[in-house]
Amino acid sequence: MDKDFSTFETRVGFTFEKKDLLRQAFTHRSYINENRSGSVHNERLEFLGDAVLELAVTNFLFSKFPDKAEGELTAFRAALVNTISISQAATDLGMNEFLLLSKGEAKDTGRARQYILANTFEAFIGALYLDQGYAAAEKFIAKQLFHKTDEVVAKRLWQDAKSRFQEIAQEKEGKTPSYELVAQAGPDHDKKFITGAYIGETLIAKGEGKS
């Protein structure tokens, strides 16, 4: 059954003149492979929307924080437009129920779906920009993302975990953390490494990965 995109238009407050652009924004490549219906997938719109999103967020942060240096503004922007942030915004808008996916992709609700939602969010911005111009796209982005900025700054969500750990360790303990390989296992082609994070001689935490 085809999707009723007018419901989504009502939800976001924008009515498209070119309905095919709206449908394209929600069309994943896998759907095209399974349904030879003349549809076009959303990857080009995603490419455009990504640029519009970055410009809108950059302009907002530049104005909001006139005293912040370029490095901090870049970190703030990265936290606002990363996959987790924009896929959550897409989820909050209920974009998931309008996705056009192959039967296989439709079954996957894990990390892969998160990426699909993030890409669809950007594709929708690209479609909105083409249909109604930059002002409309900026208005949509502002409503969905700008309110997250204060939390990003207050909770230092822009800072990677390793840098934050180092900052806290130096502040609380007066020491710089160190990292040591604790163990490794598995064959050469599929190694698993376990690394410990230490403050002085005290093991604080362990993490494992492929490198």
Side-chain angles (χ1 to χ4, degrees):
M1 183 180 293
D2 207 0
K3 309 286 185 177
D4 180 11
F5 291 105
S6 64
T7 303
F8 187 76
E9 288 177 301
T10 301
R11 188 175 298 172
V12 295
F14 294 100
T15 301
F16 276 65
E17 291 185 17
K18 298 176 181 176
K19 304 296 185 185
D20 57 326
L21 278 175
L22 177 58
R23 180 185 172 85
Q24 183 184 343
F26 284 90
T27 304
H28 188 255
R29 175 182 285 275
S30 66
Y31 181 84
I32 303 297
N33 296 335
E34 206 169 84
N35 298 270
R36 302 293 179 182
S37 58
S39 298
V40 182
H41 62 69
N42 64 6
E43 290 173 14
R44 280 174 55 85
L45 289 179
E46 176 199 337
F47 169 76
L48 177 61
D50 175 63
V52 175
L53 174 61
E54 185 163 310
L55 175 58
V57 172
T58 299
N59 185 52
F60 167 72
L61 293 174
F62 187 84
S63 299
K64 182 176 175 65
F65 300 108
D67 300 322
K68 295 291 186 183
E70 177 267 346
E72 280 188 287
L73 294 176
T74 299
F76 293 170
R77 181 180 65 196
L80 278 174
V81 303
N82 66 25
T83 298
I84 295 172
S85 175
I86 63 176
S87 66
Q88 184 58 57
T91 299
D92 292 344
L93 283 170
M95 281 188 166
N96 195 59
E97 63 193 86
F98 297 94
L99 294 174
L100 293 172
L101 304 166
S102 68
K103 291 177 182 177
E105 288 288 354
K107 293 177 182 177
D108 192 336
T109 57
R111 181 67 63 88
R113 179 61 61 87
Q114 189 177 51
Y115 281 113
I116 289 172
L117 283 168
N119 294 341
T120 301
F121 186 83
E122 291 179 337
F124 177 78
I125 291 170
L128 186 59
Y129 169 75
L130 289 177
D131 193 69
Q132 299 184 30
Y134 178 75
E138 184 181 39
K139 182 180 178 181
F140 171 78
I141 294 164
K143 185 174 182 180
Q144 305 309 322
L145 293 178
F146 289 178
H147 67 276
K148 297 184 176 188
T149 307
D150 291 338
E151 181 184 17
V152 164
V153 174
K155 294 184 178 180
R156 293 179 174 268
L157 301 180
W158 51 272
Q159 194 172 41
D160 66 271
K162 188 175 180 182
S163 297
R164 183 64 177 141
F165 176 51
Q166 178 170 311
E167 187 177 90
I168 292 172
Q170 291 172 336
E171 179 184 322
K172 303 285 188 183
E173 303 291 335
K175 297 178 181 178
T176 299
S178 61
Y179 304 90
E180 295 180 19
L181 183 64
V182 175
Q184 55 182 301
D188 289 341
H189 69 277
D190 190 26
K191 282 281 189 184
K192 180 173 71 175
F193 300 92
I194 300 174
T195 299
Y198 292 83
I199 297 179
E201 299 297 319
T202 305
L203 176 64
I204 303 300
K206 291 190 290 187
E208 69 177 55
K210 296 291 188 181
S211 63

